[in-house]
Amino acid sequence: MRNMKEWANQQIANKKRIAIPIMTHPGIEMIGKRVVDAVQNGEVHAQAVIELGKIYPSAATTVIMDLTVEAEAFGCQIDFPENDMPHIIGRLVSNAEEIDNLKVPDLTAGRIPGYLKANKLTAEAISDKPVFAGIIGPFSLAGRLYDMSEIMIGCYIEPEAIGKLLDKCTEFLINYCQELKRIGSNGVMIAEPAAGLLSNEDCQAFSSVYVKKIVDAVQDDNFMVVLHNCGNKGHCTEAMLNTDAAAFHFGNAIDMLETLNVCPKDKLIMGNVDPVGVMKLTSAAEVKTYVADLLQKTATFDNYVLSTGCDLPPHVPAENIQAFYEALNEYNQ
C-alpha cells in the first residue's frame, strides 16, 4: 500500500518537476482500438492505460475521464460514437417528484463494473507509481441527470429539490470511490467542470459542500482526492480549496501563476496546458516552447505539477506528446 501523503510530500521536496498529463486516448490508438471499445470494455481500457505507462514517463497513471458513466448508472440514455467520448441523450429527471423517486443505483449498474475492472487491472499491473481513478463530480453529475441549463435555473427556484438530487449523486459517488479504493486505486480525480459555471458562493453551496463529503468519506494517508475543475476561470478557486482535497487540478481557462499564488504551498497544484488548442492543434515545436515557458513561469512553486488542462482528445500527434516531455526533461536538466 502506497502512502499518498508521503508521496505528495516527496514530490514537493523533489527539486525536479514531475508531469501527470491526463491522457488515455493516445493509449487507445497505440493498441489499435476505438474509443467505443475502451469505454465499453474494462480490459481494453486497462490495456490502453498500461501501454501508455510503458511509453511515457508520467509520475502517475490516470484512467479515462468519462463523464457519462455515473449518469448511465442512474438510468440516462447514452450515445456511443465510434471514435469520440460517449454523450448523454435527453434528461432523466425534471421535477421535485421525479427526484424524490430517483433510486441511487448500486455498483452493478451500467458500465460501472467495466470501469471498476479497468481500474483494478491497471492497479494490479502498475506498481511503480500511483494510479488515479476518475469520477464525475456531484454537481456535474446532477446537471447531467437534470439537464445543465435547467439545473442552473433550478439552483435558484428549487434549491431544496436540487439539494436532494445532489445528496443522491453524492451518496452514489462515495460508494463508487470506496470500491475504487478497495480494489487498489491510490486516489481519485473528481471531474467537476460544471461547477465552473457557478459563482464562488454557489460553487460552495452546490458543489464544494458535496465534494467535501466525498473527501471526508474516502481521503486518508493512502488515498488522495484530486479535484479537477476546468470550468473555473479563477472565480471559484476559493470554493474548490474549501473541499480539503489533497490536490487540485486546473484547466486552461485560468492563469496558472495567479492560481499558484492563491493555493496552499503544501498541496499539489496541477495544470494546465490546453489539450486541444496547444497539444492537438499546434506543432511539436510550439508545444515544446509553450511547455518550457510555463515551466519557467512556475519555477518558484515546488508544489506545481505539469499537466494538461483536461483529458487529451483523440488523435493528438505523438510528436506533440513527445515535445511536452522533452520540454520537461530539458527544464529538469
Side-chain angles (χ1 to χ4, degrees), residues 33-45:
K33 298 292 185 180
R34 303 165 302 165
V35 175
V36 70
D37 302 321
V39 298
Q40 292 189 335
N41 184 316
E43 287 180 23
V44 172
H45 183 165

Side-chain angles (χ1 to χ4, degrees), residues 193-307:
L197 298 168
L198 300 167
S199 67
N200 189 68
E201 190 182 349
D202 288 338
C203 181
Q204 177 64 35
F206 294 103
S207 172
S208 294
V209 165
Y210 299 93
V211 172
K212 190 171 188 317
K213 287 180 182 179
I214 301 171
V215 171
D216 290 346
V218 299
Q219 184 169 275
D220 57 24
D221 286 359
N222 302 315
F223 193 83
M224 172 187 281
V225 175
V226 183
L227 178 58
H228 162 84
N229 180 346
C230 58
N232 176 22
K233 294 176 179 168
H235 64 286
C236 58
T237 301
E238 183 190 345
M240 284 179 70
L241 297 176
N242 288 341
T243 61
D244 290 337
F248 297 92
H249 192 284
F250 295 91
N252 48 280
I254 58 108
D255 181 304
M256 202 71 235
L257 200 56
E258 281 177 18
T259 304
L260 283 160
N261 271 310
V262 298
C263 287
K265 304 289 184 279
D266 61 344
K267 296 197 176 195
L268 296 178
I269 308 298
M270 312 179 185
N272 73 330
V273 180
D274 188 335
V276 178
V278 175
M279 291 301 296
K280 184 171 180 173
L281 299 178
T282 66
S283 67
E286 288 168 306
V287 169
K288 192 171 178 181
T289 301
Y290 184 95
V291 173
D293 183 49
L294 180 61
L295 288 167
Q296 287 302 331
K297 277 183 192 167
T298 56
T300 57
F301 294 91
D302 295 336
N303 59 330
Y304 172 62
V305 175
L306 177 66
S307 185

Side-chain angles (χ1 to χ4, degrees), residues 49-305:
V49 175
I50 293 161
E51 195 59 34
L52 266 182
K54 293 176 188 171
I55 307 291
Y56 297 112
S58 177
T61 294
T62 60
V63 300
I64 294 175
M65 197 176 270
D66 180 347
L67 305 186
T68 65
V69 178
E70 298 88 348
E72 182 188 33
F74 271 93
C76 283
Q77 196 180 344
I78 310 293
D79 179 51
F80 293 96
E82 224 176 87
N83 280 303
D84 204 354
M85 289 306 288
H87 54 260
I88 291 161
I89 303 165
R91 63 192 291 200
L92 188 68
V93 286
S94 56
N95 56 53
E97 187 186 351
E98 288 177 358
I99 291 170
D100 279 339
N101 294 330
L102 184 67
K103 296 277 188 290
V104 176
D106 64 29
L107 299 177
T108 63
R111 287 174 292 139
I112 296 290
Y115 272 64
L116 288 170
K117 183 177 194 176
N119 280 283
K120 186 171 190 290
L121 292 173
T122 303
E124 286 169 354
I126 296 175
S127 58
D128 61 333
K129 54 186 156 187
V131 173
F132 287 109
I135 65 162
I136 194 171
F139 184 73
S140 301
L141 174 54
R144 278 156 175 75
L145 303 180
Y146 196 78
D147 180 82
M148 209 58 246
S149 303
E150 295 294 336
I151 202 170
M152 296 300 289
I153 301 163
C155 288
Y156 299 102
I157 63 169
E158 293 189 285
E160 281 184 22
I162 300 305
K164 194 170 282 188
L165 179 59
L166 285 162
D167 282 334
K168 292 186 177 190
C169 291
T170 305
E171 181 187 335
F172 175 73
L173 294 173
I174 288 171
N175 294 341
Y176 189 16
C177 280
Q178 285 172 334
E179 185 61 12
L180 287 164
K181 184 178 180 178
R182 191 190 68 78
I183 62 176
S185 299
N186 303 108
V188 65
M189 201 168 274
I190 301 180
E192 184 70 314
L197 298 168
L198 300 167
S199 67
N200 189 68
E201 190 182 349
D202 288 338
C203 181
Q204 177 64 35
F206 294 103
S207 172
S208 294
V209 165
Y210 299 93
V211 172
K212 190 171 188 317
K213 287 180 182 179
I214 301 171
V215 171
D216 290 346
V218 299
Q219 184 169 275
D220 57 24
D221 286 359
N222 302 315
F223 193 83
M224 172 187 281
V225 175
V226 183
L227 178 58
H228 162 84
N229 180 346
C230 58
N232 176 22
K233 294 176 179 168
H235 64 286
C236 58
T237 301
E238 183 190 345
M240 284 179 70
L241 297 176
N242 288 341
T243 61
D244 290 337
F248 297 92
H249 192 284
F250 295 91
N252 48 280
I254 58 108
D255 181 304
M256 202 71 235
L257 200 56
E258 281 177 18
T259 304
L260 283 160
N261 271 310
V262 298
C263 287
K265 304 289 184 279
D266 61 344
K267 296 197 176 195
L268 296 178
I269 308 298
M270 312 179 185
N272 73 330
V273 180
D274 188 335
V276 178
V278 175
M279 291 301 296
K280 184 171 180 173
L281 299 178
T282 66
S283 67
E286 288 168 306
V287 169
K288 192 171 178 181
T289 301
Y290 184 95
V291 173
D293 183 49
L294 180 61
L295 288 167
Q296 287 302 331
K297 277 183 192 167
T298 56
T300 57
F301 294 91
D302 295 336
N303 59 330
Y304 172 62
V305 175

